[in-house]
Amino acid sequence: MAEKNKILNGSENVLWDLSELFSSHDDPLIPQHLEKCKNVSKLFQDKYKNRVVDLIDSELEMAYREMINFFSKMVQISQFANLLLSSKTSDNNAKQLVSRVEEAFSEVSNNTVFFDLELAKLSDEKFELFQVSSSLQDHLYRISRTRDMEKYQLSEDEEKTLNLKNITGKSAFKRLFGELSSSFEFEFAENGEIKQYTGAQLRSLRYHHDKDIRARAMKTFFAKYEENKIVFTSIFNSILKDYNISKKLRSYKTPISIRNMVNDLNDDVISMVVDVTTASYPLVHRYYKLKKKLLGLDTLKLADIYAPLPETNEKFSWNESKELVLDAFESFDGEFYKYAKLMFDQNRIDAPSRKNKRGGAFCSSSTPDLNPYILLNFNGKIRDVATMAHELGHAIHAMYSNKQHILNYHPILPLAETASVFSEMILTDQLLNKYDDDNQFKISLISSKLEDIFSTSHRQNMFTRFEIEAHNRIEKNLLSSEDFCEIYQNELENMFGDSVEYQPEYRWEWSAIPHMINVPFYVYSYNFANLIVMALYHQFLEEKDIFIPKFKQFLSMGGSAKPTTIIGIMGQDINKREFWQKGVIYIESLIDKLEIMVNNTGNE
């Protein structure tokens, strides 16, 4: 089995301690809290329904305080249940708990759905009075956003019905996707021995030195998704169609407009980000043609795009990775280091890759009074080190925004990725300085950084374009497996051009991307954040110590103001194309630097 054959890296016993939330799935406090939240939310409804617009400022502030109390407890229970399930997706107890929590959450949401619907009808005169009220300053942005969303809302009964139907509708399809993909085991032959791999372990072989292993690993991985194409095609169709129906019911302009409105971002800004990134695809072509030379290959296949460069050792133990990342944070700022170290000291990280554990990585933050938790699938690669820095960046962001109440605690998705990507750049500079006299390592590191940028920006942009096209097409007809494959193949060829050779199994990659199922159009957040961070990092290099207090203020804002206002703290304007172009210029400078280094070592 995979657990038996797995190479030890020191992460095996790095498990999170969830006891600050609850002791176990059958902790008696869980049903008590769930029942209390349902009862209190019903009392809330009885108290405030049909009188929200008549509340004075102190009464509205009190209503928000009451709502924050019971929603905070619901969010903590939900976090606990989902963390349990993420760490062991086959656990029936965790599945049942998630189901119970979803049902309770749906009831609580239905008891409170009236609140925003009524608040959205607040008169301009009343809103102007609230704007100068000292008791409502922490709620003004939410009130303003609620009024902005009014035209997209349905009646109270319709909203309640949708909340209930989601349990057996899109939420059920999301669970099915997660449970099915996490259950996959892959038989794979390496060094003459057939072993059992999880999806995360098999995908880590993309970084193997042997090109045959890389190619076979990815063919094996995608073959499993093709074998289950009926299920995955049905899931994608159901999720996309549900999203499209929601667009029509709520009168949004386009499918992506739903996500843009939630993020409080203008459609034109997101279109600009997509256009600027797409126009820079030739940089991707340029880099991978260079990488083909570095690898000494006649042909670079898609399975080779993450291949390690010759004479590089990309294996890091858990302790080595931890030390590198913490040193990087300390070189930037002492408080960043302190917050990152807390995550290790308080056992808030689940690190090893294992069977039936959710793939990938994430940072989960629930309420401002609790520090976050991090899930990793650590396999000792340099990208695992970068992922550690990335997720710790999320945790640091959460710790800075913990002065906000829960309704303002979480930043919009695009801004939620800024601290994480910024942390990766801190790590990269730390490593470049640490290995300054090792030109080969620096070539490998810059190559790795470019691949991370392309993965975070251009690859996510490719996913966004895939989503846009798929969502547009599904308005007319459900899509076949071949339709999804055709759209994805076109986007692959747009991104990579003639720099790689395409293998047929990659046409199925769309079916293995959970973000497009769990949160449609989430993926542009990575690209948005990546381009912002490259501009901000350039600003940091220019301003140094002057930059850090502004950046901390930026992070502490959470979701308490418009994105343009929060970014404005840094003196940046996302409505200007030249702002986004700075990121492209930075990428090009890295490729220029890499070419010079390669030429100096005679590897041209």
Side-chain angles (χ1 to χ4, degrees):
M1 298 299 290
E3 299 299 297
K4 178 181 177 180
N5 294 316
K6 174 168 79 169
I7 298 175
L8 301 181
N9 55 46
S11 71
E12 293 74 29
N13 296 315
V14 180
L15 307 175
W16 53 31
D17 177 5
L18 304 181
S19 60
E20 187 177 11
L21 291 165
F22 297 96
S23 61
S24 65
H25 74 274
D26 57 357
D27 188 325
L29 288 175
I30 294 177
Q32 290 176 28
H33 286 317
L34 288 178
E35 196 62 29
K36 182 177 179 180
C37 287
K38 289 189 289 185
N39 292 336
V40 172
S41 67
K42 182 63 171 66
L43 292 174
F44 180 88
Q45 181 185 52
D46 295 340
K47 182 177 179 180
Y48 292 108
K49 188 172 181 180
N50 297 323
R51 55 183 297 258
V52 174
V53 295
D54 296 322
L55 298 176
I56 62 173
D57 55 352
S58 60
E59 291 174 322
L60 184 57
E61 192 276 334
M62 176 59 72
Y64 270 125
R65 199 184 312 168
E66 293 173 17
M67 186 189 299
I68 285 169
N69 285 337
F70 62 76
F71 263 117
S72 293
K73 185 53 66 177
M74 283 298 305
V75 168
Q76 290 175 2
I77 300 172
S78 178
Q79 180 188 38
F80 178 74
N82 282 286
L83 290 177
L84 284 183
L85 187 59
S86 295
S87 61
K88 192 173 183 180
T89 59
S90 62
D91 188 338
N92 285 326
N93 290 321
K95 291 178 185 178
Q96 291 170 8
L97 179 58
V98 167
S99 179
R100 292 202 306 274
V101 173
E102 285 184 349
E103 290 177 9
F105 227 130
S106 179
E107 183 173 336
V108 170
S109 297
N110 275 349
N111 288 339
T112 58
V113 71
F114 75 91
F115 190 81
D116 281 347
L117 292 174
E118 291 185 29
L119 191 61
K121 301 183 186 302
L122 194 70
S123 68
D124 292 341
E125 293 76 18
K126 195 73 172 285
F127 182 58
E128 288 176 9
L129 290 175
F130 286 168
Q131 286 181 303
V132 295
S133 168
S134 59
S135 62
L136 287 175
Q137 290 305 301
D138 288 343
H139 302 288
L140 284 179
Y141 178 60
R142 180 177 176 85
I143 296 171
S144 175
R145 289 288 292 137
T146 300
R147 298 177 78 228
D148 290 342
M149 297 293 288
E150 194 269 339
K151 62 182 177 181
Y152 303 111
Q153 292 172 336
L154 305 177
S155 70
E156 182 179 348
D157 287 343
E158 288 171 322
E159 295 287 358
K160 286 182 175 181
T161 301
L162 289 177
N163 281 337
L164 292 172
K165 289 293 289 179
N166 282 342
I167 296 174
T168 54
K170 64 180 181 182
S171 295
F173 282 109
K174 291 176 185 179
R175 285 197 303 273
L176 175 60
F177 179 91
E179 291 173 13
L180 178 60
S181 56
S182 297
S183 72
F184 287 165
E185 294 183 30
F186 302 84
E187 286 192 352
F188 186 76
E190 185 178 358
N191 299 324
E193 181 183 358
I194 296 178
K195 301 178 182 180
Q196 295 283 340
Y197 284 79
T198 65
Q201 290 168 337
L202 194 64
R203 283 172 66 84
S204 72
L205 294 179
R206 292 177 297 172
Y207 310 110
H208 201 282
H209 285 272
D210 188 325
K211 66 178 182 179
D212 175 65
I213 288 178
R214 294 194 298 265
R216 287 193 298 106
M218 296 317 297
K219 186 171 184 178
T220 301
F221 180 81
F222 290 127
K224 183 76 73 172
Y225 286 83
E226 183 178 5
E227 288 170 13
N228 291 271
K229 64 183 180 182
I230 293 176
V231 179
F232 286 115
T233 301
S234 179
I235 291 173
F236 268 75
N237 269 311
S238 297
I239 294 292
L240 268 63
K241 195 65 179 177
D242 178 272
Y243 206 74
N244 194 268
I245 291 171
S246 183
K247 183 209 79 169
K248 290 181 179 179
L249 287 175
R250 300 181 185 278
S251 301
Y252 282 96
K253 184 179 178 181
T254 67
I256 200 173
S257 299
I258 302 177
R259 180 62 47 209
N260 296 344
M261 191 65 191
V262 170
N263 288 334
D264 200 7
L265 292 168
N266 188 284
D267 284 357
D268 292 340
V269 169
I270 301 306
S271 293
M272 187 188 307
V273 173
V274 172
D275 291 345
V276 166
T277 310
T278 303
S280 71
Y281 279 175
L283 294 178
V284 180
H285 310 166
R286 181 178 161 193
Y287 168 74
Y288 281 110
K289 287 177 180 178
L290 178 63
K291 181 163 188 177
K292 181 173 71 172
K293 293 180 181 179
L294 285 168
L295 291 173
L297 297 175
D298 295 329
T299 301
L300 187 75
K301 297 180 178 180
L302 269 175
D304 300 322
I305 62 174
Y306 298 120
L309 298 182
E311 301 176 17
T312 61
N313 179 10
E314 295 196 40
K315 297 296 290 184
F316 295 84
S317 72
W318 174 258
N319 286 334
E320 287 170 338
S321 303
K322 175 183 173 181
E323 183 179 352
L324 285 171
V325 171
L326 288 179
D327 284 350
F329 282 126
E330 190 169 31
S331 72
F332 175 72
D333 178 72
E335 200 167 43
F336 266 57
Y337 166 81
K338 181 182 76 172
Y339 287 164
K341 190 172 183 296
L342 272 177
M343 296 297 292
F344 295 98
D345 294 345
Q346 295 180 355
N347 297 322
R348 309 187 84 87
I349 303 174
D350 192 285
S353 175
R354 59 179 180 270
K355 179 183 175 182
N356 288 322
K357 179 179 177 180
R358 172 179 159 165
F362 65 76
C363 177
S364 169
S365 53
S366 58
T367 57
D369 57 317
L370 293 176
N371 285 338
Y373 291 90
I374 287 174
L375 179 141
L376 301 173
N377 277 276
F378 185 83
N379 289 298
K381 303 292 186 181
I382 185 62
R383 281 182 175 80
D384 294 322
V385 185
T387 298
M388 181 190 293
H390 180 102
E391 300 305 337
L392 285 168
H394 278 303
I396 291 168
H397 196 164
M399 292 181 198
Y400 274 110
S401 62
N402 66 10
K403 72 175 186 179
Q404 306 289 343
H405 59 71
I406 189 172
L407 303 180
N408 288 344
Y409 176 48
H410 297 282
I412 62 164
L413 292 176
L415 294 188
E417 294 296 337
T418 47
S420 53
V421 179
F422 195 93
S423 296
E424 289 187 62
M425 298 188 77
I426 294 172
L427 174 67
T428 297
D429 270 4
Q430 175 77 0
L431 292 173
L432 285 172
N433 291 330
K434 184 179 178 70
Y435 298 98
D436 184 54
D437 58 348
D438 188 341
N439 202 51
Q440 193 62 45
F441 179 84
K442 289 167 69 177
I443 288 175
S444 177
L445 188 62
I446 293 175
S447 297
S448 178
K449 183 59 186 175
L450 280 165
E451 289 167 22
D452 285 342
I453 288 172
F454 293 145
S455 177
T456 309
S457 281
H458 297 74
R459 177 176 162 84
Q460 306 305 321
N461 190 66
M462 177 183 73
F463 292 164
T464 300
R465 286 169 54 94
F466 168 85
E467 283 191 276
I468 290 171
E469 179 64 18
H471 277 268
N472 287 341
R473 284 202 200 180
I474 210 162
E475 187 171 3
K476 298 178 181 177
N477 298 296
L478 293 180
L479 303 182
S480 66
S481 301
E482 183 58 34
D483 291 330
F484 284 117
C485 289
E486 174 202 338
I487 297 169
Y488 194 78
Q489 179 74 26
N490 288 339
E491 291 305 326
L492 275 174
E493 293 177 5
N494 283 331
M495 176 176 166
F496 290 99
D498 62 352
S499 66
V500 300
E501 181 181 280
Y502 302 91
Q503 287 71 58
E505 58 266 20
Y506 272 84
R507 301 170 74 249
W508 295 96
E509 188 172 25
W510 58 270
S511 61
I513 303 168
H515 283 326
M516 295 194 293
I517 291 298
N518 293 327
V519 187
F521 296 106
Y522 177 100
V523 291
Y524 80 62
S525 301
Y526 291 108
N527 184 26
F528 188 101
N530 210 38
L531 294 178
I532 282 180
V533 169
M534 284 186 278
L536 293 183
Y537 201 73
H538 178 74
Q539 184 179 348
F540 161 64
L541 295 176
E542 290 182 334
E543 297 180 353
K544 293 296 182 181
D545 291 344
I546 298 174
F547 173 90
I548 295 175
K550 291 187 291 186
F551 191 49
K552 289 181 179 179
Q553 183 186 357
F554 168 94
L555 298 178
S556 71
M557 294 291 285
S560 63
K562 290 181 70 66
T564 49
T565 301
I566 296 175
I567 298 171
I569 291 171
M570 308 305 301
Q572 304 289 359
D573 185 355
I574 63 173
N575 294 300
K576 295 182 178 179
R577 191 178 186 91
E578 52 265 33
F579 169 75
W580 300 107
Q581 200 63 38
K582 290 178 184 177
V584 175
I585 293 170
Y586 175 81
I587 298 169
E588 188 166 19
S589 72
L590 285 180
I591 297 176
D592 291 341
K593 183 184 296 186
L594 181 63
E595 287 178 336
I596 292 171
M597 294 175 68
V598 170
N599 290 338
N600 287 343
T601 56
N603 287 325
E604 187 178 34

